[in-house]
Amino acid sequence: MPYKIIEKKQLGNSDTLYEMVLNTPLIAKKAFAGNFVLIRINEKGERIPLTIADYDREKGTITLVIQVIGKSTLLLSHQNEGDEILDVVGPLGNKIHIKKYEYPIIIIGGGVGIAPCYPQAMELKKVGNKIISILGARTKDLLFWKDRMAAVSDEVIITTNDGTDGIEGFVTTPLKEILKKEKISLVITIGPLIMMKNVVLLTSGIEGLPKVKTFVSLNTIMVDGTGMCGGCRFSTLDGDIYFACVDGPDVDGHIVDFDNLLKRADRFVDQEKNSLECYDPECKALEKLNNGS
Amino acid sequence: MKNQTPLIKILNENREKILKAEKYNDTELESFFESLTQAEIQKQTILQRIKELGKINIERLENELEISNQDLNLNIEYLKELGLLKEVGEKSRFFQEILEKNEIEGLFPTVTIIRDVNLCCGCSLCVSICPVNAIEYLDDTFKINEDLCFKCGLCFACCPRSFFPKSLKNKMEDNDSEVKFLDQLNYYREIYTAHTNDDNIKEVAQDGGIVTTLLKTAFQEKLIDGVLTVGASDIPHKPLPLYIENEDDLLRTAGTKYANCPSFKILHQSKSYNRIAVVGTPCMMQALKKISFYPMNKPYYNNIQFKIGLFCMESFDYNQIVELLENEFQKSPNDVKKMDIDKGKFYLFNKDGTSLNIPLKKIKKYGRLACFFCDDLTAEHADISVGSIGSDSGWSTVIIRTKNGAELFQKAVDRNLIEKKEIKEENKSFVSLSRIAKSKQKFYIEGQRPKMIEQDPKERITNFNEVSLGIKEEIVKLETQRCLQCGRPLCINGCPVNINIPEFIRLLKIGKIQDALHTIKKDNLLPAICGRVCPQEVQCEKTCLLNSLGEPISIGYLERYLADWERKNQLKECPDCQTPNNIKIAIIGSGPSGLTCAGDLAMMGYDVTIFEAFHAGGGVLVYGIPEFRLPKEIVADEIETLKMLGVKVEYNKIIGKILTINDLKEMGFKAFFIGVGAGLPSIRKIPGINLNGVLTANEFLTRANLMKAYKFPEYDTPIKIGKIITVIGGGNVALDSARVALRLGAEKVIIVYRRTEAEMPARKEEYHHAVEEGIKFQFLTNPVRFLGNDEGNVNQIEVLKMKLGEPDASGRPRPIPIENSEYLINCDTVIIAIGANANPILTNSIPELKTSKWGYIEADDDGNTNLEGIFAGGDIVSGSATVISAMGAGRKAANAINLYLKSKY
């Protein structure tokens, strides 16, 4: 029973970012902030995890945001409205815990990580939390959903590495400022591992800043997404093993061994290159992989 | 004494012990030792000469050593059995294999091993043979007092069931022109049908009263002064061995006893008599024949004057007789006057004058297992054999075999005690006798367990095609002929779903292939799968009686043959279903238990839907077991069969996530079967476990099998292995991982297992395949930590040597670390295959469902959980087990679900 693409659009001003709305009534019915799905595009496809970026229970749809980084995401970006995805499994992972916190919540999205911030901000906002969103990207063209995030935030701060939009620099720049002047109940951060690592460092109580509970969302390599394979496992600083798929994907960032995770994330880089090369030797994503970014 | 053989040595060492046992007095012991020494010296001489000459033919040896041909042959057979000589040629009937395994050196083992493989015929000769009275025969079995036994092995050497080469079986002592031979009857002179003329004997006798009359004659002619025979004990129908000393007492012993009688436990008492007659079953006659050859000059058996054998199809332990009377007739031995077998029926004559009967076939299952290994109906080694087969009621068939026997019979005739009519070869009686005798020899058809045709190891490690290709068509029938068709088939109990194995083999033998297949399918819907992945060697084949003689029937191969035959000929047919009743049942998980449960329920008419988390059905059959062991096409085929039955399969549906049990209830499902398996990998907190290149077998196998990563980059799922792969664990999953790694191009694959080869839980055949393919094994080794390079990739494992200790809860010896025995193994990939746990996704979504502390669902044998309408089975209940046991659980649950729904709707 394949899953139809109802809507597809390019995001930002980039040919590497896409938003897709899939017809998945049963998943939509249960989807919540924090959940993800595993998709397999066709018979020969791999199973890739994608966080659910929005859901419409009435229409029976979920929204996914895809950044082209390898063969499977490239192939996905080539699918169009009306096309069908062979397998969509979910909703997987734990829902985030929703409650009204005493002080504001900072939600930090980096790059494609902005998308999964949206449902979290939305659900937390619904119960009356004050939401400060920090959205970061390398450059203005890679920024998206500013308006959507604004709709569910009390304040939106933009950062770009090259200064083409908002504050020049990283998401940690405004974060540090806020932490200095304001009491914060919770930080949620979703994006590149290195970004999350730096956010977690900043909220761990260094430089006289207060220690703030920080959730990170781990989008690790997965096969089944149900706790079977252990490919997604991460280690805490104490050496305990957890599985991102069933213990996460949102976990307490202060216990995560990011250095280990950073190494684990790269373990199929050579195969990724090989796969892309065979599929489309000309593609830009391949260039990026070869440049090691 | 020079050149003491191990036997003489050990007997000499225990001289005091032997005298204390009082079986021999001083003089007797001396003569016993002397004769034994003579015999041993002869053996040593032969052995020595063969050693000097190397390869030698028997004629030359005979000339050089001036030993008679008969003695030479006997000694050579004996030395062969001792494992001291090897001869290319005829194999002895019993035990060659086991002896080789035991690595005996100059001494035989005790008869315990005979008993343990169900071969003991119950003659109890060993009790008499044992020089220190260490063997006690009670309640239809024997015990060895280990304190007394000094392991001389004489009991084994004399046991008729230890070894008995065919060349000796057919040896006659007094060969002359009057002797005839027929394969089924062995040597004989004349055959008569006869009855006694003695009215007293007639009254108590079973048939023609011949045995009692012959013994009476022998007493009257003063040819004997004692008879070793069977009398009645205090317990009704329980026989008691005893010596009769005069003709008057004979009448007490007349009539057949159906319970086995261990007569030879008092054989050594025969030294109180000058000449005795022995009455007994064919196996007892074999025992006497055996000691006439082995292992020495008989110290007190020279006085056996007449051996009177009784025809025997099979005999019973006393408790088996009691069971038979109770189950088939609802009688106790007290009610019964006499039992008889006649014209294919078993008769019971009650004390109240009534009689009952049942077909012989029905009593077969009560018989002694050891009787299946007997090919002797007519007591081929007696002087005279007597029985009812071939004669009319009131008459007995008498086979005169030896000159000695002929003379005794003639004397009885001369005294007008016996009336006789000759049975000639052309007579109907003769034909029927030899036909029945032949039927008892049926399982001695020469044949060996067939070999599986396999892809060459060098070839197969380069592909993922199936390793085992089936057995040769022409061998199938031969193999079915090896089946004993036991009355009490243990194989059925060995099978977790109790397939009627003897019946399917019988049908296959007579060419009813389709019927044979149906017989399997009555209990097992998935024979193509089970024929491939069941560990038959610890289930059905383990209990096969043929293990006692050599190798069991290849039940798994035959099952697979039938399933493949059906596939090949595209004969798959939709099993009959009952009329749809539109009651909806949800099966959660499409592994072996779910598939079986779904199939059974669909056939009962239910509306069944399977919910599967993955995009393909089969559970562990598709994600765990590799293509080369179980082609996925076969699994898909079986699922197609279910679809033909109307079963619906919903893929990508993780129950507990996308839908809960309550959702399903709202959708109209009335009952649920949970068969979600034990899919969570066991990961221990070992330093370095999160290094790149350390992965679970689940991940490795799921990538390779389900996602077809072995076809990367044609398929998108990557897999990475490097050159040297280490697999931790000793089960099928470990072997599967290792062999997949090899096929993916690994240069070296090492399995690290903390116990030894013997404790490996893996299927034996898979282990052999792995060895053939060049997988290396490091037993008694356990990982301590994984070491990596700067990039975070594993490059070494530190391991610790282990030794085996006392058995743990699993019954296997506990591995104990040896201190300071650490060493390093270089490797690029480590695959962890140390077991699986329950996946909590579903159970967490039903908090009221009772689970164990390890997360397994608590369910009874029929799959009932603590919640109404919710059933469970397979690994999620039992923990990791086999495909077939999960199927068994699925089947039981299907029946329980049916009962539950029938009671409600």
Side-chain angles (χ1 to χ4, degrees), chain A residues 1 3 26-27 30 40 43-47 71-72 75 86-93 221 223-224 226-231 233-235 238-241 243 246 260 263-264 267-268 271 274-275 278, chain B residues 613-615 623 650-654 657-660 663 679-681 683-685 689-696 698-699 702-703 706-707 712-720 789-792 839 841:
Chain A
M1 194 182 43
Y3 304 82
L26 284 176
I27 298 174
K30 289 285 162 74
R40 191 175 70 130
E43 201 46 55
K44 294 182 178 178
E46 60 178 328
R47 290 163 68 99
K71 151 94 189 263
S72 293
L75 184 60
L86 187 58
D87 298 302
V88 181
V89 192
L92 293 163
I221 296 168
V223 182
D224 64 290
T226 61
M228 256 187 58
C229 78
R233 68 186 190 275
F234 65 94
S235 158
D238 294 334
D240 289 327
I241 307 289
F243 288 4
V246 288
N260 176 256
K263 284 172 181 166
R264 284 186 67 74
R267 64 190 196 276
F268 288 110
Q271 279 86 348
N274 182 354
S275 190
C278 295
Chain B
F614 274 128
H615 52 260
Y623 75 74
E650 292 271 355
Y651 295 108
N652 298 323
K653 299 285 179 299
I654 300 172
K657 288 288 184 188
I658 192 164
L659 291 166
T660 62
D663 293 333
L680 237 53
I683 293 187
R684 272 182 292 156
K685 192 180 165 182
I689 188 90
N690 257 22
L691 285 165
N692 287 342
V694 179
L695 71 165
T696 68
N698 268 2
E699 177 178 356
T702 306
R703 283 177 184 275
L706 180 73
M707 305 308 297
F712 181 86
E714 183 197 341
Y715 280 71
D716 290 338
T717 305
I719 202 161
K720 197 174 166 179
N789 60 15
D790 293 343
E791 286 85 52
N839 192 322
I841 289 183

Side-chain angles (χ1 to χ4, degrees), chain B residues 69-70 167-182 186-189 289 293 382-383 400-405:
Chain B
N69 179 283
Q70 168 151 343
S167 60
L168 300 185
K169 183 184 173 241
N170 294 339
K171 236 177 183 61
M172 276 301 285
E173 279 157 80
D174 55 350
N175 218 341
D176 64 35
S177 60
E178 285 171 34
V179 174
K180 297 171 227 171
F181 176 80
L182 186 71
N186 211 338
Y187 288 93
Y188 65 97
R189 286 159 192 267
K289 177 91 166 188
F293 295 133
D383 294 309
I400 313 288
R401 297 185 185 274
T402 63
K403 205 178 264 176
N404 197 19

Side-chain angles (χ1 to χ4, degrees), chain B residues 562-581:
Chain B
L562 283 169
D564 287 355
W565 172 85
E566 184 189 41
R567 275 165 45 79
K568 203 170 76 189
N569 295 298
Q570 298 186 326
L571 289 168
K572 198 138 209 168
E573 46 184 49
C574 182
D576 293 338
C577 288
Q578 287 171 28
T579 330
N581 58 22

Side-chain angles (χ1 to χ4, degrees), chain B residues 486-673:
Chain B
C486 308
R488 198 161 27 135
L490 299 176
C491 50
I492 299 182
N493 298 334
C495 169
V497 296
N498 306 121
I499 294 174
N500 191 342
I501 293 162
E503 178 63 6
F504 98 68
I505 294 179
R506 187 186 70 82
L507 289 166
L508 180 56
K509 182 163 98 178
I510 59 173
K512 295 190 170 175
I513 304 185
Q514 196 100 37
D515 294 343
L517 193 62
H518 283 159
T519 306
I520 296 182
K521 286 197 171 176
K522 262 185 235 160
D523 299 298
N524 176 0
L525 276 176
L526 315 168
I529 295 171
C530 293
R532 287 174 165 81
V533 303
C534 261
Q536 289 95 2
E537 74 271 12
V538 294
Q539 297 178 337
C540 52
E541 291 179 10
K542 185 187 183 185
T543 51
C544 176
L545 276 189
L546 283 177
N547 280 307
S548 311
L549 300 184
E551 292 188 293
I553 287 282
S554 48
I555 299 167
Y557 293 175
L558 294 177
E559 179 183 33
R560 173 183 163 154
Y561 168 79
L562 283 169
D564 287 355
W565 172 85
E566 184 189 41
R567 275 165 45 79
K568 203 170 76 189
N569 295 298
Q570 298 186 326
L571 289 168
K572 198 138 209 168
E573 46 184 49
C574 182
D576 293 338
C577 288
Q578 287 171 28
T579 330
N581 58 22
N582 298 322
I583 299 175
K584 285 169 81 176
I585 299 171
I587 308 286
I588 301 157
S590 68
S593 71
L595 292 180
T596 309
C597 192
D600 280 8
L601 289 167
M603 285 198 277
M604 295 175 198
Y606 291 99
D607 179 0
V608 181
T609 307
I610 300 179
F611 294 92
E612 166 56 44
F614 274 128
H615 52 260
V620 70
L621 304 173
V622 293
Y623 75 74
I625 302 177
E627 178 76 17
F628 57 80
R629 206 146 77 74
L630 176 63
K632 299 310 152 221
E633 192 194 338
I634 288 173
V635 182
D637 243 37
E638 300 292 5
I639 291 170
E640 280 311 306
T641 312
L642 291 187
K643 287 187 178 164
M644 283 162 70
L645 295 172
V647 173
K648 292 171 275 251
V649 189
E650 292 271 355
Y651 295 108
N652 298 323
K653 299 285 179 299
I654 300 172
I655 304 304
K657 288 288 184 188
I658 192 164
L659 291 166
T660 62
I661 295 279
N662 282 335
D663 293 333
L664 294 173
K665 279 183 183 164
E666 278 172 26
M667 289 159 70
F669 287 95
K670 303 293 183 205
F672 304 86
F673 174 75

